[in-house]
Amino acid sequence: KGGSTALFGYISRHGHVRPSVCKETNFFTDTEKLVQGLSYYARHFPDNSKKGLRHMITGEGTPNYVRNPWAPLRIYKMLLKKNPDLKIIISLRDPVERFLS
């Protein structure tokens, strides 16, 4: 209801983006997935380490990260701390408009 699927689709069509295999991994909100570690999470993304692909970027689109009180801290500790250049896009919608739609 906040446009995350549309935004994910638009970004995924960019020539330098190779998106995750599924839009919503829910990795940072699902304890069963989280305990499997970053190697489990990495399997959801294409391997951009090969020659000719290093300029490509990747990402996922899990709206639940905004609603979960633990997800931001987990993302910080597991990703941002090690990759300070990592970018996060958050799409917000007017709550009144969302309620009425």
Side-chain angles (χ1 to χ4, degrees), residues 3-94:
S4 64
T5 299
L7 181 60
F8 185 79
Y10 300 142
I11 291 172
S12 297
R13 287 187 204 111
H14 188 280
H16 290 134
V17 175
R18 297 179 72 209
S20 57
V21 294
C22 63
K23 178 188 156 243
E24 299 180 30
T25 67
N26 287 294
F27 178 76
F28 296 100
T29 56
D30 186 328
T31 307
E32 289 180 22
K33 294 177 180 179
L34 194 63
V35 296
Q36 295 182 57
L38 284 176
S39 60
Y40 169 81
Y41 183 60
R43 289 195 298 259
H44 291 84
F45 301 94
D47 182 5
N48 289 342
S49 66
K50 297 173 185 164
K51 188 176 180 180
L53 296 176
R54 292 193 180 115
H55 67 285
M56 302 294 280
I57 61 172
T58 190
E60 59 138 316
T62 303
N64 287 336
Y65 293 162
V66 175
R67 293 188 274 275
N68 183 289
W70 299 105
L73 183 60
R74 292 171 176 166
I75 292 168
Y76 172 75
K77 286 182 175 180
M78 297 179 82
L79 296 180
L80 279 170
K81 209 170 181 181
K82 298 173 186 173
N83 305 292
D85 293 332
L86 185 99
K87 305 294 184 234
I88 296 175
I89 299 171
I90 299 174
S91 173
L92 301 174
R93 183 173 174 189
D94 181 325

